[in-house]
Amino acid sequence: MAQAHEFTPPRFSPMRVRVLSGLALGALVAGTFGPLVLPLDGGGGMMTVTRGLGWMLAAMVAVGSPGWRHVAPGELDERERTERARAVVIGHRVSGICLALAFVWTLIGQARGLWMPSLGQTSWLIGAAFSLHIMVPAIILAWRAPVDEED
Amino acid sequence: MMNNDTSSLHNRLALFRAEAGLSRKDLAEQVGVNPQTIGFLERGQYGPSLELGLKLARVFGVPVETLFSLEPFAPLAASLAAPRIMEGGR
C-alpha cells in the first residue's frame, strides 16, 4: 500500500506574520471597503486584484501560523497550546461580534430602508470577514511572541 | 503549578540556567519545549505544568521547590550576605 505523504505546513516567524497580516488587512480594507465609501469601480480590475491579494495573503498567514489551521500532535509545547487556545477563542468572539453586527444591520436596514450591499458587495464583505476570521488567531500569537529574544 | 500567562509562581530558572552555562535553546531541548517558552518562564509570564516543572528541576538536579516557589525568593545578594552577617554578629 502506498504511504500517504503528510503535508507539513510552514511556520512563519512572528515578524513575518505581522508584516503579511498587515499587508493583508490593508489590501482587504482597500479592496472591500474602498469601493463602498469612495467613488471607485469595485468590480474593476484594480479592486478585484487588491481583494484577491488580501485573500491570498490572509490564506498565507493562516497556513503559516499555528493559529486557525490544524496543528499536528507534538507541534506545539504546553505554553504554545495554551496561547493558541486563547487566541482561537478571541478569534471566535471577534467573528461572532461581526456576525451579530451584520445581523442587526440587516434587521434595522430592512425596517428603516438603510443602505444594503448588493450581491457582489456581499460576497466581498463575506470574503473579508472570513479572511479576518482565519487571521485573528495568528495575529494575536504573532504580537504576543517576542520577535528578537536574546539568549 | 499553573498554566496561565499571569503566573504568581516565582522561579530561579534564569539563575540556575546561567550557573549551569546553558542557553535557553539547550535547556529547551532538554525539557522538550520551544526556547521562547523558557524566556516566558524566566520572566514569570507563564506558570509551567507540574510535569514541566519537574523536568526542569531534574535538569538541574534539585528539588522542584528549590526552583519554584509561591513566595518571592530572597535576592541573591541578600542570600550570600546573610551568613557573613551572622558570622560578624557572633
Short mmCIF file of all heavy atoms in Angstrom, two decimals, chain B residues 41-84:
data_model
loop_
_atom_site.label_atom_id
_atom_site.label_comp_id
_atom_site.label_asym_id
_atom_site.label_seq_id
_atom_site.Cartn_x
_atom_site.Cartn_y
_atom_site.Cartn_z
N LEU B 41 8.95 31.62 30.93
CA LEU B 41 9.04 31.10 32.31
C LEU B 41 9.94 32.01 33.15
O LEU B 41 9.59 32.37 34.27
CB LEU B 41 9.61 29.68 32.30
CG LEU B 41 8.69 28.57 31.81
CD1 LEU B 41 9.50 27.31 31.53
CD2 LEU B 41 7.61 28.28 32.83
N GLU B 42 11.09 32.37 32.59
CA GLU B 42 12.06 33.18 33.34
C GLU B 42 11.50 34.57 33.68
O GLU B 42 11.82 35.13 34.72
CB GLU B 42 13.36 33.32 32.55
CG GLU B 42 14.13 32.02 32.48
CD GLU B 42 15.45 32.12 31.73
OE1 GLU B 42 15.71 33.18 31.10
OE2 GLU B 42 16.21 31.16 31.75
N ARG B 43 10.68 35.08 32.79
CA ARG B 43 10.09 36.41 33.05
C ARG B 43 8.84 36.32 33.92
O ARG B 43 8.22 37.33 34.23
CB ARG B 43 9.74 37.10 31.72
CG ARG B 43 10.94 37.53 30.90
CD ARG B 43 10.51 38.40 29.73
NE ARG B 43 9.64 37.69 28.81
CZ ARG B 43 10.05 36.94 27.81
NH1 ARG B 43 11.33 36.81 27.57
NH2 ARG B 43 9.20 36.32 27.02
N GLY B 44 8.46 35.12 34.29
CA GLY B 44 7.27 34.93 35.12
C GLY B 44 5.97 35.17 34.36
O GLY B 44 4.93 35.40 34.96
N GLN B 45 6.03 35.07 33.03
CA GLN B 45 4.83 35.31 32.23
C GLN B 45 4.05 34.02 31.97
O GLN B 45 3.00 34.05 31.34
CB GLN B 45 5.21 35.93 30.88
CG GLN B 45 5.74 37.35 31.00
CD GLN B 45 6.21 37.89 29.68
OE1 GLN B 45 6.71 37.16 28.82
NE2 GLN B 45 6.09 39.20 29.52
N TYR B 46 4.60 32.92 32.43
CA TYR B 46 3.91 31.64 32.23
C TYR B 46 4.24 30.72 33.39
O TYR B 46 5.40 30.61 33.80
CB TYR B 46 4.35 31.01 30.90
CG TYR B 46 3.76 29.64 30.68
CD1 TYR B 46 2.41 29.49 30.43
CD2 TYR B 46 4.56 28.50 30.75
CE1 TYR B 46 1.86 28.24 30.26
CE2 TYR B 46 4.01 27.25 30.57
CZ TYR B 46 2.66 27.12 30.32
OH TYR B 46 2.12 25.88 30.16
N GLY B 47 3.21 30.08 33.93
CA GLY B 47 3.38 29.10 35.00
C GLY B 47 3.39 27.71 34.39
O GLY B 47 2.43 27.34 33.73
N PRO B 48 4.45 26.93 34.59
CA PRO B 48 4.55 25.63 33.92
C PRO B 48 3.62 24.59 34.52
O PRO B 48 3.14 24.75 35.65
CB PRO B 48 6.01 25.24 34.14
CG PRO B 48 6.35 25.86 35.44
CD PRO B 48 5.61 27.16 35.47
N SER B 49 3.39 23.53 33.76
CA SER B 49 2.65 22.39 34.30
C SER B 49 3.55 21.69 35.33
O SER B 49 4.77 21.94 35.37
CB SER B 49 2.30 21.42 33.17
OG SER B 49 3.48 20.83 32.67
N LEU B 50 2.96 20.83 36.11
CA LEU B 50 3.74 20.08 37.09
C LEU B 50 4.81 19.24 36.39
O LEU B 50 5.96 19.16 36.84
CB LEU B 50 2.80 19.18 37.91
CG LEU B 50 3.46 18.34 39.00
CD1 LEU B 50 4.16 19.21 40.00
CD2 LEU B 50 2.42 17.46 39.68
N GLU B 51 4.43 18.67 35.25
CA GLU B 51 5.37 17.83 34.50
C GLU B 51 6.59 18.64 34.05
O GLU B 51 7.74 18.21 34.24
CB GLU B 51 4.65 17.23 33.29
CG GLU B 51 5.53 16.27 32.50
CD GLU B 51 4.85 15.76 31.23
OE1 GLU B 51 3.67 16.06 31.02
OE2 GLU B 51 5.54 15.08 30.46
N LEU B 52 6.34 19.82 33.48
CA LEU B 52 7.45 20.65 33.01
C LEU B 52 8.30 21.14 34.19
O LEU B 52 9.53 21.17 34.10
CB LEU B 52 6.92 21.84 32.19
CG LEU B 52 7.96 22.81 31.63
CD1 LEU B 52 9.01 22.07 30.78
CD2 LEU B 52 7.28 23.89 30.78
N GLY B 53 7.64 21.50 35.27
CA GLY B 53 8.38 21.94 36.47
C GLY B 53 9.31 20.84 36.97
O GLY B 53 10.47 21.10 37.31
N LEU B 54 8.81 19.63 37.00
CA LEU B 54 9.64 18.50 37.46
C LEU B 54 10.79 18.21 36.49
O LEU B 54 11.90 17.90 36.92
CB LEU B 54 8.75 17.25 37.63
CG LEU B 54 7.80 17.29 38.83
CD1 LEU B 54 6.77 16.17 38.74
CD2 LEU B 54 8.57 17.19 40.15
N LYS B 55 10.51 18.34 35.20
CA LYS B 55 11.57 18.12 34.21
C LYS B 55 12.68 19.15 34.37
O LYS B 55 13.87 18.83 34.28
CB LYS B 55 10.98 18.21 32.79
CG LYS B 55 10.25 16.96 32.33
CD LYS B 55 9.76 17.17 30.91
CE LYS B 55 9.00 15.95 30.41
NZ LYS B 55 8.37 16.22 29.10
N LEU B 56 12.29 20.40 34.59
CA LEU B 56 13.28 21.47 34.77
C LEU B 56 14.11 21.23 36.02
O LEU B 56 15.35 21.38 36.01
CB LEU B 56 12.57 22.83 34.85
CG LEU B 56 11.98 23.35 33.54
CD1 LEU B 56 10.99 24.48 33.79
CD2 LEU B 56 13.09 23.84 32.60
N ALA B 57 13.44 20.82 37.10
CA ALA B 57 14.17 20.55 38.35
C ALA B 57 15.14 19.38 38.17
O ALA B 57 16.25 19.40 38.70
CB ALA B 57 13.17 20.25 39.46
N ARG B 58 14.73 18.41 37.38
CA ARG B 58 15.60 17.24 37.14
C ARG B 58 16.86 17.64 36.37
O ARG B 58 17.95 17.11 36.62
CB ARG B 58 14.82 16.17 36.37
CG ARG B 58 15.56 14.85 36.27
CD ARG B 58 14.70 13.76 35.68
NE ARG B 58 14.26 14.10 34.34
CZ ARG B 58 13.36 13.41 33.64
NH1 ARG B 58 12.77 12.35 34.18
NH2 ARG B 58 13.01 13.75 32.43
N VAL B 59 16.71 18.58 35.43
CA VAL B 59 17.88 19.04 34.65
C VAL B 59 18.95 19.60 35.58
O VAL B 59 20.15 19.34 35.42
CB VAL B 59 17.46 20.10 33.61
CG1 VAL B 59 18.69 20.78 33.00
CG2 VAL B 59 16.62 19.48 32.51
N PHE B 60 18.51 20.36 36.58
CA PHE B 60 19.47 21.00 37.49
C PHE B 60 19.78 20.13 38.72
O PHE B 60 20.59 20.54 39.57
CB PHE B 60 18.95 22.38 37.93
CG PHE B 60 18.74 23.32 36.77
CD1 PHE B 60 17.48 23.75 36.41
CD2 PHE B 60 19.83 23.77 36.03
CE1 PHE B 60 17.30 24.60 35.33
CE2 PHE B 60 19.66 24.61 34.95
CZ PHE B 60 18.39 25.03 34.59
N GLY B 61 19.11 19.01 38.84
CA GLY B 61 19.38 18.10 39.95
C GLY B 61 18.97 18.66 41.30
O GLY B 61 19.66 18.44 42.30
N VAL B 62 17.88 19.40 41.31
CA VAL B 62 17.41 20.00 42.57
C VAL B 62 15.93 19.64 42.76
O VAL B 62 15.23 19.32 41.79
CB VAL B 62 17.57 21.54 42.58
CG1 VAL B 62 19.03 21.93 42.54
CG2 VAL B 62 16.80 22.17 41.42
N PRO B 63 15.44 19.71 44.01
CA PRO B 63 14.00 19.52 44.22
C PRO B 63 13.22 20.65 43.56
O PRO B 63 13.75 21.78 43.44
CB PRO B 63 13.84 19.57 45.75
CG PRO B 63 15.20 19.43 46.31
CD PRO B 63 16.16 19.92 45.27
N VAL B 64 12.02 20.37 43.15
CA VAL B 64 11.23 21.36 42.40
C VAL B 64 10.99 22.63 43.21
O VAL B 64 10.95 23.73 42.65
CB VAL B 64 9.90 20.73 41.90
CG1 VAL B 64 8.90 20.52 43.03
CG2 VAL B 64 9.28 21.57 40.80
N GLU B 65 10.92 22.49 44.55
CA GLU B 65 10.67 23.69 45.37
C GLU B 65 11.92 24.59 45.49
O GLU B 65 11.81 25.72 45.95
CB GLU B 65 10.14 23.32 46.76
CG GLU B 65 11.04 22.43 47.58
CD GLU B 65 10.72 20.96 47.39
OE1 GLU B 65 10.23 20.59 46.30
OE2 GLU B 65 10.98 20.16 48.32
N THR B 66 13.08 24.07 45.07
CA THR B 66 14.28 24.92 45.03
C THR B 66 14.20 25.85 43.82
O THR B 66 14.72 26.96 43.84
CB THR B 66 15.55 24.05 44.92
OG1 THR B 66 15.53 23.12 46.00
CG2 THR B 66 16.81 24.88 44.99
N LEU B 67 13.52 25.39 42.81
CA LEU B 67 13.42 26.14 41.55
C LEU B 67 12.17 27.02 41.50
O LEU B 67 12.20 28.11 40.93
CB LEU B 67 13.38 25.13 40.39
CG LEU B 67 13.92 25.52 39.03
CD1 LEU B 67 15.31 26.11 39.13
CD2 LEU B 67 13.92 24.30 38.11
N PHE B 68 11.09 26.53 42.10
CA PHE B 68 9.82 27.27 42.05
C PHE B 68 9.29 27.50 43.46
O PHE B 68 9.47 26.66 44.34
CB PHE B 68 8.77 26.47 41.25
CG PHE B 68 9.13 26.30 39.81
CD1 PHE B 68 9.76 25.14 39.37
CD2 PHE B 68 8.84 27.30 38.88
CE1 PHE B 68 10.09 24.98 38.03
CE2 PHE B 68 9.18 27.14 37.56
CZ PHE B 68 9.80 25.99 37.13
N SER B 69 8.62 28.62 43.62
CA SER B 69 8.04 28.93 44.93
C SER B 69 6.81 29.82 44.77
O SER B 69 6.73 30.62 43.83
CB SER B 69 9.07 29.65 45.80
OG SER B 69 8.46 30.13 46.98
N LEU B 70 5.88 29.66 45.69
CA LEU B 70 4.72 30.55 45.69
C LEU B 70 5.09 31.91 46.29
O LEU B 70 4.43 32.91 46.03
CB LEU B 70 3.56 29.93 46.49
CG LEU B 70 2.90 28.71 45.82
CD1 LEU B 70 1.96 28.02 46.80
CD2 LEU B 70 2.15 29.13 44.56
N GLU B 71 6.14 31.92 47.12
CA GLU B 71 6.61 33.17 47.73
C GLU B 71 7.81 33.67 46.94
O GLU B 71 8.57 32.87 46.40
CB GLU B 71 7.05 32.92 49.18
CG GLU B 71 6.03 32.20 50.04
CD GLU B 71 4.71 32.94 50.14
OE1 GLU B 71 4.74 34.19 50.12
OE2 GLU B 71 3.66 32.29 50.20
N PRO B 72 8.03 34.98 46.90
CA PRO B 72 9.21 35.50 46.19
C PRO B 72 10.50 35.00 46.84
O PRO B 72 10.58 34.89 48.08
CB PRO B 72 9.09 37.03 46.34
CG PRO B 72 7.67 37.28 46.72
CD PRO B 72 7.20 36.06 47.45
N PHE B 73 11.49 34.70 46.03
CA PHE B 73 12.78 34.28 46.55
C PHE B 73 13.54 35.51 47.07
O PHE B 73 13.38 36.61 46.53
CB PHE B 73 13.62 33.62 45.45
CG PHE B 73 13.14 32.24 45.08
CD1 PHE B 73 12.46 32.03 43.89
CD2 PHE B 73 13.38 31.16 45.91
CE1 PHE B 73 12.02 30.76 43.54
CE2 PHE B 73 12.94 29.88 45.56
CZ PHE B 73 12.25 29.69 44.38
N ALA B 74 14.37 35.30 48.08
CA ALA B 74 15.21 36.40 48.57
C ALA B 74 16.22 36.75 47.49
O ALA B 74 16.69 35.87 46.76
CB ALA B 74 15.94 35.96 49.84
N PRO B 75 16.59 38.03 47.34
CA PRO B 75 17.60 38.40 46.34
C PRO B 75 18.90 37.63 46.60
O PRO B 75 19.25 37.37 47.75
CB PRO B 75 17.80 39.90 46.55
CG PRO B 75 16.57 40.36 47.25
CD PRO B 75 16.09 39.20 48.07
N LEU B 76 19.60 37.31 45.53
CA LEU B 76 20.82 36.51 45.63
C LEU B 76 21.85 37.20 46.54
O LEU B 76 22.49 36.56 47.38
CB LEU B 76 21.41 36.28 44.24
CG LEU B 76 22.66 35.43 44.15
CD1 LEU B 76 22.38 34.02 44.66
CD2 LEU B 76 23.18 35.37 42.72
N ALA B 77 22.01 38.54 46.37
CA ALA B 77 22.99 39.27 47.18
C ALA B 77 22.66 39.13 48.66
O ALA B 77 23.57 38.93 49.49
CB ALA B 77 23.00 40.73 46.76
N ALA B 78 21.40 39.22 49.00
CA ALA B 78 20.98 39.11 50.41
C ALA B 78 21.26 37.70 50.94
O ALA B 78 21.72 37.52 52.08
CB ALA B 78 19.51 39.44 50.54
N SER B 79 21.01 36.69 50.08
CA SER B 79 21.25 35.30 50.50
C SER B 79 22.73 35.05 50.74
O SER B 79 23.12 34.35 51.67
CB SER B 79 20.76 34.32 49.42
OG SER B 79 19.43 34.57 49.12
N LEU B 80 23.59 35.64 49.89
CA LEU B 80 25.04 35.45 50.04
C LEU B 80 25.57 36.21 51.25
O LEU B 80 26.49 35.76 51.93
CB LEU B 80 25.77 35.92 48.77
CG LEU B 80 25.54 35.07 47.52
CD1 LEU B 80 26.11 35.77 46.29
CD2 LEU B 80 26.17 33.69 47.69
N ALA B 81 24.99 37.38 51.49
CA ALA B 81 25.48 38.22 52.58
C ALA B 81 25.00 37.70 53.94
O ALA B 81 25.68 37.95 54.95
CB ALA B 81 25.01 39.66 52.39
N ALA B 82 23.92 36.99 53.99
CA ALA B 82 23.33 36.56 55.27
C ALA B 82 24.31 35.79 56.16
O ALA B 82 24.46 36.14 57.34
CB ALA B 82 22.07 35.76 55.01
N PRO B 83 25.02 34.76 55.64
CA PRO B 83 25.95 34.02 56.52
C PRO B 83 27.05 34.92 57.09
O PRO B 83 27.44 34.78 58.24
CB PRO B 83 26.54 32.95 55.60
CG PRO B 83 25.58 32.82 54.48
CD PRO B 83 24.99 34.17 54.31
N ARG B 84 27.55 35.87 56.29
CA ARG B 84 28.61 36.77 56.76
C ARG B 84 28.10 37.67 57.89
O ARG B 84 28.80 37.93 58.84
CB ARG B 84 29.12 37.63 55.61
CG ARG B 84 29.87 36.81 54.57
CD ARG B 84 30.40 37.71 53.48
NE ARG B 84 30.96 36.91 52.41
CZ ARG B 84 31.38 37.39 51.26
NH1 ARG B 84 31.30 38.68 51.03
NH2 ARG B 84 31.87 36.62 50.34
#
